[in-house]
Amino acid sequence: MSAETIQQVLDFLRDSGVQRLDLTGGAPEMNPAFMRLVEEARDMGVHVIDRCNLTVLMEEDYRDMAAFLAAQQVEIVASMPCYLEENVDAQRGKGVFGQSIRALQLLNRLGYGTDEALLLNLVYNPQGINLPPPQQQLEQDYKEKLRRDYGILFNNLFTITNMPIKRFGSTLLSKGQFEEYMQLLKSTYNEKSLPAVMCRTTLSVDWQGYVYDCDFNQILGLPAGLSSGKVHLRDLAQTDFNGLDIAIMDHCYGCTAGMGSSCGGALV
Ligand code: SF4
């Protein structure tokens, strides 16, 4: 995301009164304007969330990043697909588990997980064609294991259903499991999740400043339902989003299956 687009994000925050900025990417901290974006958003009183891959915090060039995030009271949401080293390294690469553990310990030393202003949340995705297990029970297991084995404390575990799109969707297709997984999502449709699906309260902005109803639609290149074409953030400052359409397709069953799913975990 260019400095110009980042300025457009800040302008939108100021003009719209949006109160929450959720930053994601491969590693959003690596954008040269990341600190400016966070500082200016926090100066406006906006709550900032950093979806952090943890390992970036251990890179030589980003040694000051964890302290910066703590000083700005940025909420951290970090992927931790398992509390077992062999599973994490198998999924995300050799050595990733150890680096993630060291990063979590560093965040704990800065007050994350214990200071109520410094939220540290972890994310779990299931393996294979399963829905996530009950979030509360798994959170208890994670808390027990990470505390006992590594002295790590964190606030919440978010369980997130795998979406049948892009890499996971391709894997399902190549294994001949796509239809089976879609059937699972459809057969476990939970109407109670509908009021809380994240597209109702979130706008997803891509690196060029175009907006989508959610990150999944962004990945699919499905423009926000409020328009038939691509919409740019700079054209939306005065828009009232209440009652506007949301672009939905079959992948949306991933948000409404079982206990529901969003960037903040289960919905019901
Ligand atoms: S995938 Fe569909 S239901 Fe889920 S957040 Fe996006 S638009 Fe909403």
Side-chain angles (χ1 to χ4, degrees), residues 163 197-199 213-214 216-217 246-248 251-252 255:
M163 277 293 183
V197 288
M198 61 188 174
C199 47
D213 290 313
C214 70
F216 307 119
N217 288 5
I246 291 169
I248 55 169
H251 64 284
C252 295
C255 294

Side-chain angles (χ1 to χ4, degrees), residues 196-203 213-216 255 261-264 267:
V197 288
M198 61 188 174
C199 47
R200 286 176 175 266
T201 51
T202 305
L203 268 186
D213 290 313
C214 70
D215 278 9
F216 307 119
C255 294
S261 179
S262 73
C263 292
L267 298 175

